Amino acid sequence: MKEGWEYKKLGEVATVSHGKNQKEVEDIHGEYPIYGSGGNIMGYGNSYLCESGTTILGRKGTINNPLYIETKFWNVDTAFGITAKDGNSKKYIYYFVKSQDWSKKDTGTTLPSLTQKVVKETIIPVPPLSEQHRIVSYLDAAFAKIDAVAKNAEDALNEAKALFQSALAKMMEPKEGWEEKKIRDIADVRSGYAFKSSEFKPNGKYQVLRIGNVKRGIILYHVAPVFMPDSLASVVVNKSILKKGDIIITQTGTKSKGDYGYTAIVDCDNLLLNQRVARLRVNKEINLTFLLFYTWTKYFRDQFFSNEGGMVGQGNVSLETIKQIKIIYPSIEEQVEIVSLLSTIYHKIELLESNLSRTLTECAALKQSILRQTFE
């Protein structure tokens, strides 16, 4: 132990308080944010529980993402508010809480959980207040530099995406001599099969692609994969089998988010298509990647969402709507040229996305390494 430092229980140097149900203070005109266990703002209230400079730590659910809140706020009953007692730095307490792997103290069975007792009894090294301030200044500066690295990577990606969208709009703008047709005239369009979830298996020959497996330009085969037994798949294989080169498009999602209408190209065999996802099997007059890029244009998406149905808050685009969508396209030679130019930018985006993911992971690991060195 360093000279002048002590080891104490967290509850001795900070107040660890439960949150409360937000219903009693919710007010659309309230000035105090209401925070959930994951640090998300769930609304605003006309009163507060925690003073500014309090650390939020999830009690249930998200228990490993503590946040330092600069303003007064209300925390819900699934989150603790941890506030430094007199003689201790608020930000020092936050950095200590952030340094801990709270998953190792998980007391839950199905949902990750922490108890107030466990949090209060966690041992914290406590230097004099002046040293706490020095440590906070050091960590603030180090984290700011790390955050700047992450922001540069994020900015580079956003710039590339903006460049791609600008080029996409310009290159897909109809020119003289371009032809207009409906999707149904250039592709065989079908919806997926209504499989029974009770029939899904964790492995097998045929993977079933569901709505959650499709994002813009990519199929996430590894996300919650499910399979059909060979004996059952053979019954429906002709109705829902996908082929390499099929374009799939999600038909259902949340209206406010617009998180559907995602399109991607199938690039492997033995895939079956689930309901709420449609597939386009394109004929030879359309370049496959040209049509994929075209589905990302404002012109296409405006048509896609123009007749959405579904329940309140839930959007659903019918197969007939997709069939009626118009596309305007040039000769196959010009399509190939457009695809070549756009692909150059798009591949840059893919590289930058990979770089950002790696950078964020490395930055998070570096922060934790610095915190461990500080508090261990």
Side-chain angles (χ1 to χ4, degrees), residues 282-320:
V282 184
N283 64 34
K284 294 182 179 179
E285 67 181 290
I286 299 292
N287 177 279
L288 192 60
T289 308
F290 177 88
L291 182 57
L292 177 70
F293 286 157
Y294 198 93
T295 63
W296 300 349
T297 64
K298 184 178 184 299
Y299 181 69
F300 181 93
R301 294 184 67 77
D302 283 349
Q303 294 180 80
F304 181 84
F305 290 110
S306 63
N307 293 308
E308 61 181 344
M311 300 179 291
V312 175
Q314 186 77 3
N316 182 71
V317 174
S318 69
L319 198 66
E320 188 57 33

Side-chain angles (χ1 to χ4, degrees), residues 12 22 31 33 64 86 92 129-130 168 214 300:
E12 295 181 78
Q22 70 272 29
E31 62 175 301
N64 231 4
D86 290 344
Y92 180 83
L129 183 57
S130 60
L168 180 69
V214 188
F300 181 93

Side-chain angles (χ1 to χ4, degrees), residues 40-288:
N40 54 309
I41 295 179
M42 303 174 65
Y44 288 85
N46 53 32
S47 185
Y48 65 91
L49 291 173
C50 298
E51 295 288 344
S52 57
T54 296
T55 296
I56 282 182
L57 177 64
R59 184 178 68 85
K60 283 189 176 293
T62 304
I63 63 172
N64 231 4
N65 185 38
L67 294 174
Y68 183 77
I69 308 301
E70 301 276 3
T71 62
K72 296 176 181 179
F73 66 93
W74 184 282
N75 54 313
V76 300
D77 54 7
T78 57
F80 293 118
I82 305 176
T83 307
K85 293 182 179 179
D86 290 344
N88 293 281
S89 163
K90 296 177 180 179
K91 201 73 176 287
Y92 180 83
I93 297 297
Y94 159 70
Y95 277 127
F96 170 76
V97 173
K98 189 172 180 63
S99 75
Q100 300 299 292
D101 183 358
W102 294 102
S103 62
K104 293 181 178 179
K105 301 178 186 290
D106 180 9
T107 60
T109 52
T110 56
L111 187 69
S113 302
L114 293 172
T115 66
Q116 191 178 47
K117 183 174 184 292
V118 163
V119 176
K120 283 185 173 182
E121 293 187 350
T122 298
I123 301 301
I124 176 175
V126 185
L129 183 57
S130 60
E131 180 68 2
Q132 292 184 31
H133 288 321
R134 187 196 66 77
I135 290 171
V136 167
S137 295
Y138 163 72
L139 291 175
D140 280 347
F143 278 31
K145 291 178 181 178
I146 295 171
D147 289 340
V149 172
K151 187 176 186 306
N152 287 339
E154 186 175 5
D155 288 346
L157 175 59
N158 289 335
E159 288 173 8
K161 286 182 175 180
L163 176 60
F164 178 81
Q165 286 301 131
S166 176
L168 180 69
K170 184 175 181 180
M171 292 183 185
M172 292 297 188
E173 186 178 356
K175 315 290 190 302
E176 185 178 351
W178 286 31
E179 188 171 358
E180 179 182 296
K181 286 188 178 180
K182 295 180 178 180
I183 289 291
R184 69 181 184 187
D185 298 323
I186 61 166
D188 179 42
V189 186
R190 299 189 183 185
S191 282
Y193 187 79
F195 292 101
K196 295 179 180 178
S197 59
S198 60
E199 296 173 339
F200 291 154
K201 302 297 179 184
N203 51 61
K205 178 180 179 181
Y206 294 98
Q207 181 175 353
V208 179
L209 284 189
R210 297 179 291 174
I211 195 166
N213 296 116
V214 188
K215 296 299 179 185
R216 183 170 130 156
I218 188 170
I219 299 175
L220 304 173
Y221 297 105
H222 63 285
V223 173
V226 294
F227 298 81
M228 288 295 291
D230 294 356
S231 58
L232 294 175
S234 61
V235 178
V236 298
V237 70
N238 292 329
K239 298 180 180 179
S240 64
I241 190 71
L242 289 168
K243 295 181 179 180
K244 287 182 180 179
D246 284 345
I247 291 180
I248 53 179
I249 181 167
T250 56
Q251 297 175 254
T252 303
T254 307
K255 286 184 178 181
S256 61
K257 296 181 179 178
D259 59 353
Y260 52 114
Y262 292 138
T263 54
I265 297 175
V266 174
D267 57 1
C268 65
D269 297 315
N270 298 328
L271 298 173
L272 300 176
L273 191 63
N274 198 31
Q275 62 182 337
R276 299 188 295 172
V277 187
R279 67 105 169 124
L280 316 180
R281 190 162 292 163
V282 184
N283 64 34
K284 294 182 179 179
E285 67 181 290
I286 299 292
N287 177 279
L288 192 60

